[in-house]
Amino acid sequence: MGSSQVFDEYYPRNFAMHPPAYDPKYKTSVLRSPRQALISIDPTLTEVSGPQLSSFELSPLDHDLILNHAQGGLPIGERIVVHGYILDEHARPVPNALIEIWQANAGGRYRHANDRYLAPLDPNFGGCGRTRSDQNGYYFFRTIRPGPYPWRNRMNDWRPAHIHFSLSGKAWCQRLITQMYFEGDPLIQRDAILGTVSDLGALQQLVARLDIHAAVPFDSLAYRFDMVLRASRETLFESRLPEC
């Protein structure tokens, strides 16, 4: 890496749209939230460069959670396609972003040693996968719609069906970990974690919309879920904006 190479600086994260670290209704936040104000530091070369990822690191079935853990059969549950675009704050595509996915099975249970929910594990469903965005920022993967599950927050709290995402863009400071929920799920309004998001617009950005036009007939429904990563401060020209 030459010393003359110039790296873009990135805008600070908009904390007005992010939920607070401490909220008494979300009980585990009480103990693990910071007690002092966070210290803001200028980004260094470590944050504004990398990661260096190669498409050869992905296996052919990494993006297909229906098949990538199959043990001679198919997983139980509603088959779905999730797709969308990875964009920055200027609505420009983020190509070659790594999208890592993990989720519960159709019964609401994770394939994890600490998950003690009584729903059975599905021998044909691993619950994790990964894919990359193309040159237009577009991504897609197949999976099983996850089920809701109870959690020890209040006496009868249930998490809505959701899928976890970890995104790695062109720089480490673009890293984002988030969750996707499903349009029309009544548990969204009752969820203690989502209740910490006070910005209704930000909350709606976490909800995937049914996209019947992208459904696979007699096979899978589809949900559209676009995600936004922070943008670089490089000069923006109108000619580089995507057409409406």
Side-chain angles (χ1 to χ4, degrees):
M1 182 181 296
S3 58
S4 62
Q5 187 170 357
V6 177
F7 293 94
D8 297 320
E9 291 187 359
Y10 286 78
Y11 295 119
R13 199 175 296 280
N14 181 6
F15 286 101
M17 296 183 66
H18 288 249
Y22 169 81
D23 190 301
K25 296 187 296 298
Y26 179 13
K27 290 187 177 180
T28 55
S29 76
V30 175
L31 294 178
R32 68 185 185 189
S33 57
R35 293 293 182 264
Q36 304 294 329
L38 300 180
I39 299 174
S40 179
I41 61 175
D42 292 332
T44 65
L45 183 63
T46 304
E47 287 79 43
V48 298
S49 62
Q52 301 296 323
L53 303 170
S54 169
S55 58
F56 296 106
E57 298 176 29
L58 273 64
S59 299
L61 291 179
D62 276 356
H63 72 293
D64 193 337
L65 280 69
I66 293 175
L67 295 179
N68 67 12
H69 193 80
Q71 308 293 318
L74 293 175
I76 296 171
E78 177 187 340
R79 299 155 63 95
I80 62 173
V81 172
V82 178
H83 74 124
Y85 288 88
I86 311 299
L87 307 169
D88 70 11
E89 293 165 302
H90 297 303
R92 296 173 296 192
V94 179
N96 300 317
L98 177 66
I99 301 110
E100 299 172 285
I101 311 125
W102 67 99
Q103 63 169 89
N105 64 21
R109 185 171 175 182
Y110 290 91
R111 185 173 289 277
H112 192 282
N114 292 333
D115 192 336
R116 303 301 186 196
Y117 183 34
L118 54 78
L121 288 172
D122 187 334
N124 295 305
F125 189 72
C128 59
R130 56 184 183 170
T131 187
R132 296 184 71 180
S133 60
D134 66 15
Q135 291 304 306
N136 296 314
Y138 180 75
Y139 78 94
F140 77 95
F141 62 92
R142 293 203 313 166
T143 189
I144 298 296
R145 177 165 172 156
Y149 56 85
W151 63 302
R152 296 184 181 276
N153 187 59
R154 294 170 296 200
M155 180 59 68
N156 193 27
D157 273 358
W158 287 72
R159 297 260 29 236
H162 61 278
I163 297 175
H164 299 263
F165 287 82
S166 169
L167 278 72
S168 299
K170 293 185 293 184
W172 287 116
C173 64
Q174 279 191 310
R175 179 84 188 282
L176 175 67
I177 298 176
T178 189
Q179 297 180 16
M180 182 199 94
Y181 300 84
F182 292 86
E183 178 181 20
D185 189 336
L187 290 175
I188 290 175
Q189 303 301 321
R190 300 177 56 87
D191 185 57
I193 295 179
L194 287 175
T196 66
V197 182
S198 59
D199 187 307
L200 293 180
L203 179 60
Q204 289 305 309
Q205 289 183 15
L206 298 175
V207 180
R209 308 300 171 185
L210 178 67
D211 186 355
I212 198 66
H213 300 293
V216 181
F218 305 104
D219 187 310
S220 306
L221 288 175
Y223 289 86
R224 171 77 178 267
F225 189 57
D226 298 335
M227 290 175 277
V228 179
L229 301 180
R230 69 170 70 181
S232 64
R233 299 177 190 256
E234 63 181 307
T235 303
L236 183 68
F237 297 96
E238 288 186 8
S239 62
R240 295 174 59 182
L241 289 172
E243 296 182 1
C244 297

